[in-house]
């Protein structure tokens, strides 16, 4: 060992202390069945379009879009199925070079149907050195280097069919018949990691060998073998059975990094440098992280090993900052970075409080003394600002309070709590019940679901099933208003707030929005959306005439002056349409709280950006009053599993815009995917085509199950579809002509693709569409017609008698047949839908079909609300018109594969093929909105219709329609009981079978 190397190694050993990483990763396998079944993954990369590619030993080469994989070899017609692919190179033109273990080197340009294979041949000195190809590398001169277990070959891509052997006749050459594990390139030349050290082939074609220095103890078998060599911005790195090594030009040598004392030296298989100069080290024992700038190993919360007991063989960080890990015998792992935007507060609390702080948080508050109050499940936790000490009151045990709804302070600073058992005041760290307002109003104490204290000290209490109680402690007066809420079962006040002018607002569950202008009485606000939502979960005034309203069907922005409103749904980036609360942060940015996480509004784009568990949130169920702005500009959010503290710079956030790409083309049942590149903009179909299936992918991998698309086919319809997670578009029998398919993608954060994916679809016209053919046909037709008329006149009398007899006999036969068909009719006469018998018969056919194809099935039982009142008020003819109107709406909405029927009276039934219960609920809610927006018109009268939907999803093996209907009827009954005009999914207590 050189004298220069010894002090260098000592310096590295001193510098290699450890640090704890600011972020951690959660690793999980993919959910796609094809990807998940891969035993070993040896190479991963992302192409220029955004697709992930995997080299595996189970199914060869896979292209993955986050939700589904395509086996790139199984659709070939040339016997390439199930190769063990070690490595591959993707060219920008879509061509692929594949290195396989036992099948040599394969070139595949599927779009052009070009494919050829290079194999070993002892009779050809330039042939592939071995059919066991270990690695591939494309250098700066566009030469493809092929490393095998018995030497090196290369191919100049300018002449891709010609392969050459390197150093074939030079028996003493270090690359001659040497096993090549890895190849990389730097300014010095090409570096080869081999079974016998490292070989440098410099720019002058001179060769130099490096043997890695070995530790003084624990000399391992195959210690001279170098598994990987990589050139990164931080230098040249190599790995072997004895660890990780870095090249130093000063000594022209490799120095070994000392591993942490807690970690035994693992056999290192792969090295990968992330964009932030962290070096990922994959070994037979797991995954490690090294900071190349600070020269230290990085810990996570469990220690140094980020993926223990996994034999890591390949690493890749994609555009979504995920770390993709391919292993031997354990498949693929996808690592999502954690805690970027939020951090759980429970970890910062004293140990005795951490469990309580990790449960449901119903309210947050900071009082005038800057104490922070947290209403947790069963415990009231607060941070005393003066002493910086945490305290706790077990309110469930001491006062039998099950939930704290809200905090508020009087002008003198005293703290009050609204709970499910009444009003309480905090005094000297103890809760004291306050009964005075109830006694003055002459009502028993009850749950206070909303709470507000005005600047003059008046209390406004939303009392369950009573209305609004106003208590004036100064004058000892109490009055009840909004008593109409008590007449509506389950109605309550969810929130009471004031705007900058002092006007009060009250958001109620079923009765809409109320306002009390300064000096006036309460009145109901006409929101203009009563036909879609009955009540609101929250109200947020942001200007003199502008308020935001939270509902179970989106977020609404209402202009009180003009009466106009705007609705925001998942199509605008919200993670859910169930909005529990809203607030403005320190920069006056709007945040919406939903049952699937929080979302931030961008005023410029009029869209929301949502946050998920990958952003550090402990849970996604947001609570109405559980948000708190802090003086430093951050804020706290309460969830069903604790408090999250924001800790991010919104302006510096990385919010990549997703791309939408063509991922599947199937014409008449034949998979044409490989022949249509991702950037294909045109699909030509023959005149006699029957079915076109187009698959599209939103190429964002963070939470792919939440990616959605909207689409339209111009030339067929100009209307955009609603947001859907179904990525497969199916078109049957399109008429000849030109169409334009447009697809907009949206990722899990609510960010929309910059522009739609556009694909021209051309359906050729059949031969009989030719204008010359029509001219000739017209001439022939006229000639034939004249001749026919002439002959007919000659034989008319003779034929009339015979024709009359034939017509009479045929008429009798048709009448008899019509009567027989009528007796067997399976359709309802009034609506044209299947009747009960017809639906029963068709349902069993559909169920068996879906059972064979292993697809889901949902049954919906529909009952028109208050239908009897239509008959009573307008007559049965109007009722029939309403039934026909609804049947038409149902038939228009249903697909060709679905079944629609009239079950009896005002009850209808619907079977949705290949549809889950949650998707069926979306279908029903869309139909309900259309009914409310487009009522039935009868003789000048407007018949407003609504319906309640009961949804059942059972295994398709369940053959008893009676069980399906019973389950859907139970859900329908729940919907009726809850107030009608809604869709309810049945939740069976046990799995029903046939």
């Amino acid at each position: 060992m050189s004298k220069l190397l010894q002090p260098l190694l000592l310096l590295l050993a001193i510098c290699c202390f450890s640090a704890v990483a600011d972020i951690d990763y959660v690793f999980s396998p993919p959910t796609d069945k094809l990807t998940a079944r891969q035993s070993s993954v040896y190479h991963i990369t992302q192409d220029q379009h955004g697709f992930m590619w995997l080299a595996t030993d189970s199914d060869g080469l896979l292209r993955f879009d986050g939700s589904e994989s395509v086996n790139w070899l199984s659709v070939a017609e040339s016997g390439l199925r199930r190769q063990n692919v070690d490595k591959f190179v993707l060219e920008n033109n879509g061509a692929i070079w594949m290195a396989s273990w036992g099948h040599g080197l394969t070139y595949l340009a599927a779009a052009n149907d070009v494919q050829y294979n290079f194999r070993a041949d002892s009779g050809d000195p330039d042939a592939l050195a071995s059919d066991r190809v270990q690695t591939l590398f494309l250098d700066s001169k566009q030469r493809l280097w092929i490393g095998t277990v018995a030497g090196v070959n290369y191919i100049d891509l300018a002449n891709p069919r010609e392969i050459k052997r390197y150093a074939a006749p030079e028996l003493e050459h270090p690359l001659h018949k040497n096993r090549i594990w890895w190849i990389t390139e730097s300014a010095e030349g090409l570096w080869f990691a081999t079974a016998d050290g490292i070989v440098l082939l410099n720019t002058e074609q001179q060769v130099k060998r490096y043997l890695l220095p070995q530790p003084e103890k624990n000399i391992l078998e195959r210690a001279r073998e170098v598994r990987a060599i990589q050139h990164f911005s931080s230098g040249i790195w190599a790995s072997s059975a004895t660890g990780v090594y870095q090249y130093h030009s000063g000594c022209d040598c490799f120095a070994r990094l000392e591993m942490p004392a807690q970690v035994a030296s693992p056999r290192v298989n792969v090295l990968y440098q992330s964009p932030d100069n962290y070096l990922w080290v994959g070994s037979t024992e797991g995954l490690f992280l090294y900071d190349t700038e600070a020269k230290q190993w990085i810990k996570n919360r469990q220690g140094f090993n980020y993926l223990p007991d996994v034999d890591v063989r390949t690493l890749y960080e994609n555009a979504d900052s995920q770390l993709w890990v391919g292993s031997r015998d354990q498949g693929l792992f996808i690592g999502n970075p954690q805690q970027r935007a939020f951090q759980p507060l429970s970890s910062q609390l004293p140990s005795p409080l951490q469990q309580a702080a990790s449960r449901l948080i119903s309210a947050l508050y900071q009082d005038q003394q800057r104490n922070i109050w947290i209403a947790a499940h069963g415990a009231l936790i607060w941070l005393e600002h003066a002493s910086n000490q945490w305290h706790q009151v077990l309110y469930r045990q001491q006062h039998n309070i099950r939930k704290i709804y809200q905090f508020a302070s009087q002008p003198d600073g005293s703290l009050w709590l609204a709970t499910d058992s009444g009003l309480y005041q905090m005094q000297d760290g103890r809760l004291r019940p306050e009964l005075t307002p109830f006694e003055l109003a002459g009502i028993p104490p009850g749950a206070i679901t909303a709470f507000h204290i005005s600047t003059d000290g008046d209390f406004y209490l939303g009392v369950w099933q009573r209305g609004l109680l106003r208590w004036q402690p100064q004058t000892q007066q109490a009055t009840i208003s909004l008593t109409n809420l008590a007449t509506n079962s389950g109605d309550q006040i969810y929130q009471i707030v004031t705007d900058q002018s002092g006007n009060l607002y009250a958001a109620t569950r079923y009765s809409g929005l109320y306002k009390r202008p300064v000096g006036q009485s309460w009145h109901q606000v006409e929101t203009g959306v009563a036909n879609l939502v009955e009540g609101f979960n929250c109200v947020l005034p942001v200007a003199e005439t502008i308020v935001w309203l939270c509902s179970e069907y989106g977020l609404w922005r209402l202009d009180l002056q003009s009466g106009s409103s705007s609705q925001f749904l998942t199509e605008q980036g919200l993670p859910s349409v169930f909005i529990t609360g809203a607030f403005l942060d320190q920069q006056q940015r709007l945040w919406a709280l939903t049952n699937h996480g929080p979302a931030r509004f961008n005023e410029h784009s009029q869209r929301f950006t949502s946050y998920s568990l990958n952003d550090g949130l402990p849970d996604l169920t947001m609570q109405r009053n559980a948000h708190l702005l802090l003086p430093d500009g951050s804020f706290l959010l309460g969830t069903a599993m604790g408090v999250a503290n924001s800790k991010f710079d919104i302006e510096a956030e990385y919010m990549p815009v997703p791309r939408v790409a063509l991922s599947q083309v199937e014409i008449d049942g034949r998979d044409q995917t490989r022949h249509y590149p991702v950037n294909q903009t045109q699909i030509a179909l023959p005149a006699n085509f029957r079915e076109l299936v187009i698959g599209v992918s939103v190429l964002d991998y963070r939470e792919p199950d939440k990616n959605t698309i909207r689409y339209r086919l111009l030339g067929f319809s100009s209307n955009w579809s609603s947001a859907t997670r179904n990525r497969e578009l199916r078109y049957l029998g399109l008429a000849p002509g030109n169409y334009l398919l447009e697809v907009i993608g949206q990722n899990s954060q609510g960010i929309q693709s910059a522009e739609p994916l556009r694909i021209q679809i051309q359906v050729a016209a059949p031969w009989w569409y030719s204008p010359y053919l029509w001219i000739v046909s017209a001439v022939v037709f006229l000639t034939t017609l004249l001749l026919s008329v002439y002959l007919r006149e000659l034989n008319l009398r003779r034929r009339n008698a015979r024709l009359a007899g034939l017509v009479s006999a045929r008429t009798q036969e048709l009448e008899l047949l019509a009567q027989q068909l009528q007796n067997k009719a399976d359709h309802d006469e009034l609506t044209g839908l299947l009747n009960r018998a017809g639906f029963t018969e068709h349902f069993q056919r559909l169920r068996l079909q879906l059972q064979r194809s292993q697809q889901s099935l949902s049954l919906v039982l529909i009952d028109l609300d208050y239908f009897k009142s239509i008959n009573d008020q307008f007559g049965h003819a109007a009722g029939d018109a309403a039934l026909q109107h609804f049947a038409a709406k149902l038939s228009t909405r249903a697909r060709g594969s679905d079944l629609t029927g009239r079950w009896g009276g005002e009850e209808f039934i619907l079977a949705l093929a290949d549809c889950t219960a949650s998707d069926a609920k979306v279908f029903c809610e869309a139909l309900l909105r259309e009914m409310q927006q487009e009522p039935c018109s009868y003789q000048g009268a407007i018949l407003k219709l609504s319906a309640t939907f009961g949804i059942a999803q059972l295994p398709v093996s369940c053959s008893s329609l009676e069980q399906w209907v019973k389950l859907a009827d139970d859900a329908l009954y729940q919907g009726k009981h809850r107030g009608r005009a809604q869709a309810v999914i049945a939740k069976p207590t046990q799995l029903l079978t046939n």
Side-chain angles (χ1 to χ4, degrees), residues 551-690:
S551 78
E552 296 182 4
Y553 186 49
L555 186 67
W556 301 82
R557 180 165 55 189
L558 177 64
D559 188 328
L560 298 174
Q561 185 173 8
S562 66
S564 62
S565 60
S566 302
Q567 185 183 23
F568 295 83
L569 301 167
T570 53
E571 285 86 345
Q572 286 75 44
L574 286 169
S576 168
V577 296
F578 192 103
I579 314 300
T580 58
F583 68 94
L584 298 176
D585 64 14
Q586 300 283 20
Q587 289 73 35
Q588 297 301 296
R589 290 178 292 226
L590 174 71
W591 287 79
L593 305 178
T594 81
N595 60 345
H596 285 169
R600 186 187 78 250
F601 185 60
N602 185 310
E603 188 70 35
H604 174 71
S605 64
Q606 293 291 293
R607 294 185 57 80
F608 284 86
T609 300
S610 58
Y611 294 83
S612 68
L613 297 177
N614 287 335
D615 297 298
L617 290 165
D619 186 75
L620 297 181
T621 307
M622 302 287 106
Q623 307 300 305
R624 180 181 304 105
N625 297 314
H627 52 84
L628 174 61
L629 302 182
L630 299 177
D632 63 357
S634 64
F635 54 85
L636 301 178
L637 292 180
T639 76
M641 296 181 64
V643 182
N645 183 14
S646 69
K647 60 163 195 172
F648 55 90
D649 180 3
I650 291 178
E651 304 302 330
E653 275 191 304
Y654 176 62
M655 293 291 179
V657 177
R659 297 183 60 179
V660 187
L662 176 67
S663 59
Q664 178 190 5
V665 177
E666 185 179 298
I667 301 174
D668 291 339
R670 185 174 181 180
D671 194 341
Q672 302 288 319
T673 301
R674 290 186 347 132
H675 300 284
Y676 283 87
V678 176
N679 56 354
Q680 181 80 14
T681 60
Q682 185 173 345
I683 297 177
L685 299 173
N688 60 345
F689 98 99
R690 300 182 304 277

Side-chain angles (χ1 to χ4, degrees), residues 218 358 447 464 467 484 514 696 699 825 921:
N218 297 330
S358 299
W464 169 261
N484 60 300
Y514 289 85
V696 294
L699 297 176
K921 185 176 181 182

Side-chain angles (χ1 to χ4, degrees), residues 883-894 923 927 930-931 933-936 945:
L883 293 175
Q884 291 172 332
H885 175 79
F886 176 75
K889 292 290 183 187
L890 185 60
S891 298
T892 303
R893 276 268 175 188
F923 175 94
L927 177 59
E930 184 174 346
M931 292 171 60
Q933 293 170 358
E934 299 178 12
C936 176
L945 297 179

